[in-house]
Coordinates of all heavy atoms in Angstrom, one line a residue:
M1 N 1.3 12.0 1.8 CA 1.8 11.3 0.7 C 1.3 11.9 -0.6 O 0.1 12.2 -0.7 CB 1.5 9.8 0.9 CG 2.2 8.9 -0.1 SD 1.8 7.1 0.2 CE 2.9 6.8 1.5
Q2 N 2.2 12.0 -1.6 CA 1.8 12.5 -2.9 C 1.5 11.3 -3.8 O 1.9 10.2 -3.5 CB 2.9 13.3 -3.5 CG 3.3 14.5 -2.7 CD 2.3 15.5 -2.5 OE1 1.7 16.0 -3.5 NE2 2.0 15.9 -1.3
N3 N 0.8 11.5 -4.9 CA 0.4 10.4 -5.8 C 1.6 9.7 -6.4 O 1.5 8.5 -6.7 CB -0.5 10.9 -6.9 CG -2.0 10.9 -6.4 OD1 -2.3 10.2 -5.4 ND2 -2.8 11.6 -7.1
D4 N 2.7 10.4 -6.6 CA 3.9 9.7 -7.1 C 4.7 9.0 -6.1 O 5.6 8.3 -6.5 CB 4.8 10.7 -7.9 CG 4.1 11.1 -9.2 OD1 3.4 10.3 -9.8 OD2 4.4 12.3 -9.6
D5 N 4.4 9.1 -4.8 CA 5.1 8.4 -3.8 C 4.7 7.0 -3.8 O 3.5 6.6 -4.2 CB 4.8 9.0 -2.4 CG 5.3 10.4 -2.2 OD1 6.3 10.7 -2.9 OD2 4.8 11.1 -1.4
E6 N 5.6 6.1 -3.4 CA 5.4 4.7 -3.4 C 4.6 4.2 -2.2 O 5.1 4.5 -1.1 CB 6.7 3.9 -3.5 CG 7.4 4.1 -4.9 CD 8.7 3.5 -5.0 OE1 9.2 3.0 -4.0 OE2 9.3 3.5 -6.1
V7 N 3.5 3.5 -2.3 CA 2.8 2.9 -1.2 C 3.5 1.6 -0.9 O 3.8 1.3 0.2 CB 1.3 2.8 -1.5 CG1 0.6 2.1 -0.4 CG2 0.7 4.2 -1.7
C8 N 3.6 0.8 -1.9 CA 4.4 -0.5 -1.7 C 5.8 -0.2 -2.1 O 6.2 -0.1 -3.3 CB 3.8 -1.6 -2.6 SG 4.7 -3.2 -2.2
L9 N 6.6 -0.1 -1.0 CA 8.1 0.2 -1.2 C 8.8 -1.0 -1.7 O 9.8 -0.9 -2.4 CB 8.7 0.7 0.1 CG 8.1 2.1 0.5 CD1 8.4 2.3 2.0 CD2 8.6 3.2 -0.3
C10 N 8.3 -2.2 -1.4 CA 9.0 -3.4 -1.9 C 9.0 -3.5 -3.4 O 9.9 -4.0 -4.0 CB 8.4 -4.7 -1.3 SG 8.7 -4.9 0.5
F11 N 7.8 -3.2 -4.0 CA 7.6 -3.4 -5.4 C 7.5 -2.1 -6.2 O 7.1 -2.1 -7.3 CB 6.5 -4.3 -5.7 CG 6.8 -5.7 -5.2 CD1 6.3 -6.2 -4.0 CD2 7.6 -6.6 -5.9 CE1 6.6 -7.5 -3.6 CE2 7.9 -7.8 -5.5 CZ 7.4 -8.3 -4.3
H12 N 7.8 -1.0 -5.5 CA 7.7 0.4 -6.1 C 6.4 0.7 -6.8 O 6.4 1.0 -8.0 CB 8.9 0.5 -7.1 CG 10.2 0.1 -6.5 ND1 10.9 0.9 -5.6 CD2 11.0 -1.0 -6.7 CE1 12.0 0.3 -5.2 NE2 12.1 -0.8 -5.8
V13 N 5.3 0.5 -6.0 CA 4.0 0.7 -6.6 C 3.5 2.1 -6.0 O 3.3 2.2 -4.8 CB 3.0 -0.4 -6.3 CG1 1.7 -0.2 -7.0 CG2 3.6 -1.7 -6.6
S14 N 3.3 3.0 -6.9 CA 2.9 4.4 -6.4 C 1.4 4.4 -6.1 O 0.6 3.6 -6.5 CB 3.2 5.4 -7.5 OG 2.4 5.2 -8.6
Q15 N 1.1 5.4 -5.3 CA -0.3 5.7 -4.9 C -1.1 5.9 -6.2 O -2.2 5.5 -6.3 CB -0.4 6.9 -4.0 CG -1.8 7.2 -3.6 CD -1.8 8.2 -2.4 OE1 -1.8 7.8 -1.3 NE2 -1.8 9.5 -2.7
R16 N -0.5 6.6 -7.2 CA -1.2 6.9 -8.4 C -1.6 5.6 -9.2 O -2.7 5.5 -9.6 CB -0.3 7.8 -9.3 CG -1.0 8.2 -10.6 CD 0.0 8.9 -11.6 NE 0.7 10.0 -10.9 CZ 0.3 11.2 -10.7 NH1 -1.0 11.5 -11.0 NH2 1.0 12.1 -10.1
K17 N -0.6 4.7 -9.2 CA -0.9 3.4 -9.9 C -2.1 2.7 -9.2 O -2.9 2.1 -9.8 CB 0.3 2.5 -9.9 CG 1.3 3.0 -11.0 CD 2.5 2.1 -11.0 CE 3.6 2.6 -12.0 NZ 4.9 2.1 -11.7
L18 N -2.0 2.7 -7.8 CA -3.0 2.0 -7.1 C -4.4 2.6 -7.3 O -5.4 1.9 -7.4 CB -2.6 1.9 -5.6 CG -1.4 1.0 -5.3 CD1 -0.8 1.4 -3.9 CD2 -1.9 -0.4 -5.3
I19 N -4.5 3.9 -7.3 CA -5.7 4.6 -7.5 C -6.3 4.3 -8.9 O -7.5 4.0 -9.0 CB -5.6 6.1 -7.2 CG1 -5.4 6.4 -5.7 CG2 -6.8 6.9 -7.7 CD1 -5.0 7.8 -5.3
A20 N -5.4 4.3 -9.9 CA -5.9 4.0 -11.2 C -6.3 2.6 -11.3 O -7.4 2.3 -11.9 CB -4.7 4.3 -12.2
Y21 N -5.6 1.7 -10.6 CA -6.0 0.3 -10.6 C -7.4 0.1 -10.0 O -8.3 -0.6 -10.5 CB -5.0 -0.6 -9.9 CG -5.2 -2.0 -10.0 CD1 -4.8 -2.8 -11.1 CD2 -5.9 -2.7 -9.0 CE1 -5.0 -4.1 -11.2 CE2 -6.2 -4.1 -9.1 CZ -5.7 -4.8 -10.2 OH -6.0 -6.1 -10.2
L22 N -7.6 0.7 -8.8 CA -8.9 0.7 -8.2 C -10.0 1.1 -9.1 O -11.1 0.5 -9.2 CB -8.9 1.5 -6.9 CG -8.2 0.9 -5.7 CD1 -7.8 2.0 -4.7 CD2 -9.0 -0.2 -5.0
R23 N -9.8 2.3 -9.8 CA -10.9 2.8 -10.6 C -11.1 1.9 -11.8 O -12.3 1.8 -12.3 CB -10.5 4.2 -11.1 CG -10.5 5.2 -10.0 CD -10.2 6.6 -10.4 NE -10.4 7.6 -9.4 CZ -9.7 8.6 -9.1 NH1 -8.6 8.9 -9.9 NH2 -9.9 9.4 -8.1
R24 N -10.1 1.3 -12.3 CA -10.2 0.5 -13.6 C -10.8 -0.9 -13.3 O -11.6 -1.3 -14.0 CB -8.8 0.4 -14.2 CG -8.8 -0.1 -15.7 CD -7.4 0.0 -16.3 NE -6.5 -0.9 -15.6 CZ -5.4 -0.4 -14.9 NH1 -5.1 0.8 -15.0 NH2 -4.6 -1.3 -14.3
T25 N -10.3 -1.5 -12.2 CA -10.7 -2.9 -12.1 C -11.7 -3.2 -11.0 O -12.3 -4.2 -10.9 CB -9.4 -3.8 -11.7 OG1 -9.0 -3.4 -10.4 CG2 -8.3 -3.6 -12.7
K26 N -12.0 -2.1 -10.2 CA -13.0 -2.3 -9.1 C -12.9 -3.6 -8.3 O -13.8 -4.4 -8.3 CB -14.4 -2.2 -9.8 CG -14.6 -0.9 -10.6 CD -16.0 -0.9 -11.3 CE -16.2 0.4 -12.1 NZ -15.1 1.2 -12.6
P27 N -11.8 -3.8 -7.7 CA -11.6 -5.0 -6.9 C -12.6 -5.2 -5.8 O -12.8 -4.2 -5.1 CB -10.1 -4.9 -6.4 CG -9.8 -3.5 -6.4 CD -10.6 -2.9 -7.5
R28 N -13.1 -6.4 -5.6 CA -14.1 -6.6 -4.5 C -13.4 -6.6 -3.2 O -14.0 -6.1 -2.2 CB -14.7 -8.0 -4.8 CG -16.0 -8.3 -4.2 CD -16.6 -9.6 -4.7 NE -15.7 -10.7 -4.8 CZ -15.3 -11.4 -3.7 NH1 -15.8 -11.2 -2.5 NH2 -14.5 -12.4 -3.9
V29 N -12.2 -7.1 -3.0 CA -11.5 -7.1 -1.8 C -10.1 -6.4 -1.9 O -9.5 -6.5 -3.0 CB -11.3 -8.5 -1.2 CG1 -12.7 -9.0 -0.7 CG2 -10.7 -9.4 -2.1
A30 N -9.6 -5.9 -0.8 CA -8.3 -5.1 -0.9 C -7.2 -6.1 -1.3 O -6.2 -5.6 -2.0 CB -8.0 -4.5 0.4
S31 N -7.2 -7.3 -1.0 CA -6.1 -8.2 -1.3 C -5.9 -8.4 -2.8 O -4.9 -8.7 -3.3 CB -6.3 -9.6 -0.7 OG -7.5 -10.2 -1.1
Q32 N -7.0 -8.0 -3.6 CA -6.8 -8.1 -5.1 C -5.9 -7.0 -5.6 O -5.4 -7.1 -6.7 CB -8.2 -7.9 -5.7 CG -9.1 -9.2 -5.5 CD -10.5 -9.0 -6.1 OE1 -11.3 -8.4 -5.5 NE2 -10.7 -9.6 -7.3
L33 N -5.5 -6.0 -4.7 CA -4.5 -5.0 -5.1 C -3.2 -5.7 -5.4 O -2.3 -5.1 -6.0 CB -4.4 -3.9 -4.1 CG -5.6 -2.9 -4.1 CD1 -5.5 -2.0 -2.9 CD2 -5.6 -2.1 -5.4
A34 N -3.0 -6.9 -4.9 CA -1.7 -7.6 -5.2 C -1.5 -7.8 -6.7 O -0.4 -8.0 -7.1 CB -1.7 -9.0 -4.4
Q35 N -2.6 -7.8 -7.4 CA -2.5 -8.0 -8.8 C -2.0 -6.7 -9.5 O -1.8 -6.7 -10.7 CB -3.9 -8.4 -9.4 CG -4.3 -9.8 -9.0 CD -5.7 -10.1 -9.1 OE1 -6.4 -9.5 -9.9 NE2 -6.2 -11.1 -8.4
C36 N -1.9 -5.7 -8.8 CA -1.3 -4.4 -9.3 C 0.2 -4.4 -9.0 O 0.6 -4.0 -7.9 CB -2.0 -3.2 -8.7 SG -1.3 -1.6 -9.3
L37 N 1.0 -5.0 -9.8 CA 2.4 -5.0 -9.7 C 2.9 -5.7 -8.4 O 3.9 -5.3 -7.9 CB 3.0 -3.6 -9.9 CG 2.6 -2.9 -11.1 CD1 3.0 -1.4 -11.1 CD2 3.2 -3.6 -12.4
D38 N 2.1 -6.6 -7.9 CA 2.5 -7.4 -6.7 C 2.4 -6.6 -5.4 O 3.0 -6.9 -4.4 CB 3.9 -8.0 -6.8 CG 4.0 -9.1 -7.8 OD1 2.9 -9.8 -8.0 OD2 5.0 -9.3 -8.4
A39 N 1.7 -5.5 -5.4 CA 1.6 -4.6 -4.2 C 1.2 -5.4 -3.0 O 0.2 -6.2 -3.1 CB 0.6 -3.5 -4.4
G40 N 1.9 -5.3 -1.9 CA 1.6 -5.9 -0.7 C 2.1 -7.3 -0.5 O 1.9 -8.0 0.6
T41 N 2.8 -7.9 -1.5 CA 3.2 -9.3 -1.4 C 4.6 -9.4 -0.9 O 5.2 -10.6 -0.9 CB 3.0 -10.0 -2.7 OG1 3.9 -9.3 -3.7 CG2 1.6 -9.9 -3.2
G42 N 5.3 -8.4 -0.4 CA 6.6 -8.5 0.1 C 6.6 -8.5 1.6 O 6.1 -9.4 2.2
C43 N 7.1 -7.4 2.2 CA 7.2 -7.4 3.7 C 5.9 -7.3 4.4 O 5.8 -7.6 5.6 CB 8.1 -6.2 4.1 SG 7.4 -4.6 3.9
G44 N 4.9 -6.9 3.7 CA 3.5 -6.8 4.3 C 3.2 -5.4 5.0 O 2.1 -5.2 5.4
W45 N 4.2 -4.5 5.1 CA 4.0 -3.2 5.7 C 2.9 -2.4 5.1 O 2.1 -1.8 5.8 CB 5.3 -2.4 5.7 CG 5.1 -1.0 5.9 CD1 5.2 0.1 5.0 CD2 4.8 -0.4 7.2 NE1 4.9 1.2 5.7 CE2 4.7 1.0 7.0 CE3 4.6 -0.9 8.5 CZ2 4.4 1.9 8.0 CZ3 4.3 0.0 9.5 CH2 4.2 1.4 9.3
C46 N 2.8 -2.5 3.8 CA 1.8 -1.6 3.1 C 0.4 -2.1 3.2 O -0.5 -1.4 2.8 CB 2.2 -1.3 1.7 SG 2.2 -2.8 0.7
R47 N 0.2 -3.3 3.6 CA -1.2 -3.9 3.5 C -2.3 -3.1 4.2 O -3.3 -2.9 3.6 CB -1.2 -5.4 4.0 CG -0.5 -6.3 3.0 CD -0.6 -7.7 3.4 NE 0.6 -8.4 2.8 CZ 1.2 -9.4 3.3 NH1 0.9 -9.9 4.5 NH2 2.2 -10.0 2.7
P48 N -2.0 -2.6 5.4 CA -3.1 -1.8 6.0 C -3.4 -0.5 5.2 O -4.5 0.0 5.2 CB -2.5 -1.4 7.4 CG -1.4 -2.4 7.7 CD -0.9 -2.8 6.3
F49 N -2.4 0.0 4.5 CA -2.5 1.2 3.7 C -3.2 0.9 2.4 O -4.0 1.7 1.9 CB -1.2 1.9 3.5 CG -0.5 2.2 4.8 CD1 0.4 1.4 5.4 CD2 -0.8 3.5 5.4 CE1 1.0 1.7 6.6 CE2 -0.2 3.8 6.6 CZ 0.7 2.9 7.2
L50 N -3.0 -0.3 1.9 CA -3.7 -0.8 0.7 C -5.2 -0.9 1.1 O -6.1 -0.6 0.3 CB -3.2 -2.1 0.2 CG -1.7 -2.1 -0.3 CD1 -1.3 -3.5 -0.7 CD2 -1.6 -1.1 -1.5
N51 N -5.4 -1.5 2.3 CA -6.8 -1.6 2.8 C -7.5 -0.3 2.9 O -8.7 -0.1 2.5 CB -6.8 -2.3 4.2 CG -6.4 -3.8 4.1 OD1 -6.4 -4.4 3.0 ND2 -6.1 -4.3 5.3
K52 N -6.8 0.7 3.4 CA -7.3 2.1 3.5 C -7.7 2.7 2.2 O -8.8 3.2 2.0 CB -6.3 3.0 4.2 CG -6.7 4.4 4.5 CD -7.8 4.5 5.5 CE -8.2 5.9 5.7 NZ -9.4 5.9 6.6
L53 N -6.8 2.5 1.2 CA -7.2 3.0 -0.1 C -8.4 2.3 -0.7 O -9.3 3.0 -1.3 CB -6.0 2.9 -1.1 CG -4.8 3.8 -0.9 CD1 -3.6 3.4 -1.8 CD2 -5.2 5.2 -1.1
H54 N -8.4 1.0 -0.5 CA -9.6 0.2 -1.0 C -10.9 0.7 -0.3 O -11.9 0.9 -1.0 CB -9.3 -1.3 -0.8 CG -10.4 -2.1 -1.3 ND1 -11.4 -2.6 -0.6 CD2 -10.6 -2.5 -2.6 CE1 -12.2 -3.4 -1.4 NE2 -11.8 -3.3 -2.6
Q55 N -10.8 0.9 1.0 CA -11.9 1.4 1.8 C -12.4 2.7 1.3 O -13.6 3.0 1.1 CB -11.6 1.4 3.2 CG -12.7 1.7 4.2 CD -12.2 1.9 5.6 OE1 -11.1 2.4 5.9 NE2 -12.9 1.4 6.5
Q56 N -11.4 3.6 1.0 CA -11.8 5.0 0.5 C -12.5 4.9 -0.8 O -13.5 5.5 -1.0 CB -10.5 5.8 0.4 CG -9.9 6.2 1.7 CD -8.6 6.9 1.5 OE1 -7.9 6.7 0.5 NE2 -8.2 7.7 2.5
W57 N -12.0 4.0 -1.7 CA -12.6 3.8 -3.0 C -14.0 3.3 -2.8 O -15.0 3.8 -3.5 CB -11.7 2.9 -3.8 CG -12.4 2.5 -5.1 CD1 -12.7 3.2 -6.2 CD2 -13.0 1.2 -5.3 NE1 -13.4 2.5 -7.1 CE2 -13.6 1.3 -6.6 CE3 -13.1 0.0 -4.5 CZ2 -14.3 0.2 -7.1 CZ3 -13.8 -1.0 -5.1 CH2 -14.4 -1.0 -6.3
Q58 N -14.2 2.2 -2.0 CA -15.5 1.6 -1.8 C -16.5 2.6 -1.3 O -17.7 2.5 -1.7 CB -15.4 0.5 -0.8 CG -15.1 -0.9 -1.5 CD -15.3 -2.0 -0.4 OE1 -15.0 -1.9 0.7 NE2 -15.7 -3.1 -0.9
Q59 N -16.1 3.5 -0.4 CA -17.0 4.4 0.2 C -17.2 5.7 -0.6 O -17.8 6.6 -0.2 CB -16.6 4.7 1.6 CG -16.6 3.4 2.5 CD -16.1 3.6 3.9 OE1 -15.6 4.7 4.3 NE2 -16.3 2.6 4.7
G60 N -16.5 5.8 -1.8 CA -16.6 6.9 -2.6 C -15.9 8.2 -2.1 O -16.3 9.3 -2.4
E61 N -15.0 8.0 -1.2 CA -14.3 9.1 -0.6 C -13.1 9.5 -1.5 O -12.6 8.6 -2.3 CB -13.7 8.7 0.8 CG -14.8 8.4 1.8 CD -14.2 7.9 3.1 OE1 -12.9 7.7 3.2 OE2 -15.0 7.5 4.0
P62 N -12.6 10.7 -1.3 CA -11.3 11.0 -2.1 C -10.2 10.0 -1.6 O -10.1 9.8 -0.4 CB -11.0 12.4 -1.6 CG -12.2 12.9 -0.9 CD -13.0 11.7 -0.5
M63 N -9.5 9.5 -2.6 CA -8.5 8.5 -2.2 C -7.1 9.2 -2.0 O -6.7 10.0 -2.8 CB -8.4 7.5 -3.4 CG -9.6 6.5 -3.4 SD -9.4 5.2 -4.6 CE -9.9 6.1 -6.1
G64 N -6.4 8.7 -1.0 CA -5.1 9.2 -0.7 C -4.7 9.0 0.7 O -5.6 9.1 1.6
L65 N -3.5 8.7 1.0 CA -3.0 8.4 2.3 C -2.5 9.7 2.9 O -1.8 10.5 2.2 CB -1.9 7.4 2.3 CG -2.3 6.0 1.7 CD1 -1.2 5.1 1.6 CD2 -3.5 5.4 2.6
T66 N -2.8 10.0 4.2 CA -2.4 11.2 4.8 C -1.0 11.1 5.5 O -0.5 12.1 5.9 CB -3.4 11.7 5.8 OG1 -3.7 10.6 6.7 CG2 -4.7 12.1 5.1
V67 N -0.5 9.9 5.6 CA 0.8 9.8 6.2 C 1.9 10.4 5.4 O 1.9 10.5 4.2 CB 1.1 8.3 6.4 CG1 1.2 7.5 5.1 CG2 2.3 8.0 7.3
G68 N 2.9 11.0 6.1 CA 4.0 11.6 5.4 C 5.0 10.5 4.8 O 5.1 9.4 5.4
R69 N 5.6 10.9 3.7 CA 6.5 9.9 3.1 C 7.6 9.4 3.9 O 7.9 8.2 4.0 CB 7.0 10.5 1.8 CG 7.8 9.5 0.9 CD 8.2 10.1 -0.4 NE 8.9 11.3 -0.3 CZ 9.5 12.0 -1.3 NH1 9.4 11.5 -2.5 NH2 10.1 13.1 -1.1
A70 N 8.2 10.3 4.7 CA 9.4 10.0 5.5 C 9.0 9.1 6.6 O 9.6 8.0 6.9 CB 10.1 11.2 6.0
S71 N 7.9 9.4 7.3 CA 7.5 8.6 8.5 C 7.0 7.2 8.0 O 7.2 6.2 8.7 CB 6.5 9.3 9.4 OG 5.3 9.5 8.7
Y72 N 6.4 7.2 6.8 CA 5.9 6.0 6.3 C 7.1 5.0 6.0 O 7.1 3.9 6.4 CB 5.2 6.3 5.0 CG 4.6 5.1 4.3 CD1 3.4 4.6 4.7 CD2 5.2 4.5 3.2 CE1 2.8 3.5 4.1 CE2 4.6 3.4 2.6 CZ 3.4 2.9 3.1 OH 2.8 1.8 2.5
A73 N 8.2 5.6 5.4 CA 9.4 4.8 5.1 C 10.0 4.3 6.4 O 10.5 3.2 6.5 CB 10.3 5.6 4.2
E74 N 10.1 5.2 7.4 CA 10.7 4.8 8.7 C 9.9 3.7 9.3 O 10.4 2.7 9.9 CB 10.7 6.0 9.6 CG 11.8 7.0 9.2 CD 11.7 8.3 9.9 OE1 10.9 8.4 10.9 OE2 12.3 9.3 9.4
G75 N 8.5 3.8 9.3 CA 7.7 2.7 9.8 C 8.0 1.4 9.1 O 8.0 0.3 9.8
R76 N 8.1 1.4 7.9 CA 8.4 0.2 7.1 C 9.8 -0.4 7.5 O 9.9 -1.6 7.7 CB 8.4 0.5 5.6 CG 8.5 -0.8 4.8 CD 9.5 -0.6 3.7 NE 9.6 -1.7 2.8 CZ 10.7 -1.7 2.0 NH1 11.6 -0.8 2.0 NH2 10.8 -2.7 1.2
D77 N 10.8 0.5 7.8 CA 12.1 0.0 8.2 C 12.0 -0.7 9.5 O 12.6 -1.8 9.8 CB 13.1 1.2 8.4 CG 13.5 1.7 7.0 OD1 13.3 1.0 6.0 OD2 14.1 2.8 7.0
R78 N 11.2 -0.1 10.5 CA 11.0 -0.7 11.8 C 10.2 -2.1 11.6 O 10.6 -3.1 12.3 CB 10.2 0.2 12.7 CG 11.0 1.3 13.3 CD 10.3 2.0 14.4 NE 9.0 2.6 14.0 CZ 8.9 3.8 13.5 NH1 10.0 4.6 13.3 NH2 7.7 4.3 13.2
H79 N 9.2 -2.1 10.8 CA 8.5 -3.3 10.5 C 9.4 -4.4 10.0 O 9.3 -5.6 10.5 CB 7.4 -3.0 9.5 CG 6.7 -4.2 9.0 ND1 5.7 -4.8 9.6 CD2 6.8 -4.9 7.8 CE1 5.2 -5.9 8.9 NE2 5.9 -5.9 7.8
R80 N 10.2 -4.1 9.1 CA 11.1 -5.1 8.5 C 12.2 -5.6 9.5 O 12.5 -6.7 9.6 CB 11.8 -4.5 7.3 CG 10.8 -4.3 6.2 CD 11.5 -3.9 4.9 NE 12.3 -5.0 4.3 CZ 13.2 -4.8 3.4 NH1 13.5 -3.7 2.9 NH2 13.8 -5.9 2.9
A81 N 12.7 -4.6 10.4 CA 13.6 -5.0 11.4 C 13.0 -6.0 12.4 O 13.6 -7.0 12.8 CB 14.1 -3.8 12.1
K82 N 11.7 -5.7 12.8 CA 11.0 -6.6 13.7 C 10.8 -8.0 13.1 O 11.0 -9.0 13.7 CB 9.6 -6.0 14.0 CG 9.6 -5.4 15.4 CD 8.2 -5.1 15.8 CE 7.9 -3.6 15.7 NZ 6.5 -3.2 15.8
S83 N 10.4 -8.0 11.8 CA 10.2 -9.3 11.1 C 11.5 -10.1 11.0 O 11.5 -11.3 11.2 CB 9.8 -9.0 9.6 OG 8.6 -8.3 9.7
E84 N 12.6 -9.4 10.8 CA 13.9 -10.1 10.8 C 14.2 -10.7 12.2 O 14.7 -11.8 12.3 CB 15.0 -9.2 10.3 CG 15.0 -9.0 8.8 CD 15.9 -7.8 8.4 OE1 16.8 -7.5 9.1 OE2 15.6 -7.3 7.2
D85 N 13.9 -9.9 13.2 CA 14.2 -10.4 14.6 C 13.3 -11.7 14.8 O 13.8 -12.7 15.4 CB 13.8 -9.4 15.6 CG 14.8 -8.3 15.7 OD1 15.9 -8.4 15.1 OD2 14.4 -7.3 16.4
R86 N 12.1 -11.7 14.4 CA 11.2 -12.8 14.6 C 11.7 -14.0 13.8 O 11.7 -15.1 14.3 CB 9.8 -12.5 14.1 CG 8.8 -12.1 15.2 CD 7.4 -12.2 14.7 NE 7.1 -11.6 13.5 CZ 6.8 -10.3 13.3 NH1 6.7 -9.5 14.3 NH2 6.6 -9.8 12.1
D87 N 12.2 -13.8 12.6 CA 12.6 -14.8 11.7 C 13.9 -15.5 12.3 O 14.1 -16.7 12.1 CB 13.0 -14.3 10.3 CG 11.7 -14.0 9.6 OD1 10.6 -14.3 10.0 OD2 11.8 -13.3 8.5
Q88 N 14.7 -14.7 13.0 CA 15.9 -15.3 13.6 C 15.7 -16.0 14.9 O 16.6 -16.5 15.5 CB 17.0 -14.2 13.7 CG 17.5 -13.7 12.4 CD 18.3 -12.5 12.4 OE1 18.6 -12.0 13.5 NE2 18.7 -11.9 11.3
G89 N 14.4 -15.9 15.4 CA 14.0 -16.5 16.6 C 14.6 -15.9 17.8 O 15.0 -16.4 18.8
Ligands
FES101 S1 6.0 -2.3 1.3 FE1 4.5 -3.4 0.3 S2 5.0 -5.4 0.7 FE2 6.6 -4.3 1.6

């Protein structure tokens, strides 16, 4: 994933914005990333990846997701399809 790619596809929040937010606000827990343009508050697919970025930041590691953009988007499509199946009972 490149920095301009969106991590939160629901709210169009790029990896670059999330990294800048982490550096600027130093959130104590990953869920506080929701305050960055509502990241993670839609379908929920990106939450584990938000956790990963937060963990990298906390541990002083280079920040960035290694997943490819296309497979990431496909994973989210599958996640949303499963959620819709569940919602329809
Ligand atoms: S991709 Fe972030 S909440 Fe759906």
Side-chain angles (χ1 to χ4, degrees):
M1 188 175 280
Q2 303 294 310
N3 275 343
D4 286 330
D5 292 338
E6 294 175 352
V7 176
C8 185
L9 295 164
C10 290
F11 292 101
H12 308 289
V13 187
S14 69
Q15 180 168 272
R16 183 185 310 280
K17 283 181 188 161
L18 290 162
I19 289 173
Y21 186 86
L22 283 162
R23 288 183 175 142
R24 196 174 58 244
T25 67
K26 304 174 179 26
R28 203 170 42 83
V29 291
S31 60
Q32 288 176 283
L33 284 170
Q35 292 163 20
C36 179
L37 304 172
D38 292 329
T41 62
C43 71
W45 163 252
C46 64
R47 283 181 208 150
F49 300 93
L50 297 176
N51 290 345
K52 180 71 181 171
L53 287 173
H54 184 261
Q55 185 185 40
Q56 289 172 337
W57 168 74
Q58 266 190 326
Q59 296 178 353
E61 294 173 3
M63 288 185 277
L65 301 174
T66 53
V67 62
R69 185 173 55 175
S71 64
Y72 184 80
E74 286 164 15
R76 186 226 186 198
D77 288 345
R78 284 194 299 275
H79 169 80
R80 292 185 70 195
K82 259 193 251 167
S83 298
E84 284 168 18
D85 286 350
R86 263 198 312 271
D87 291 347
Q88 290 166 8

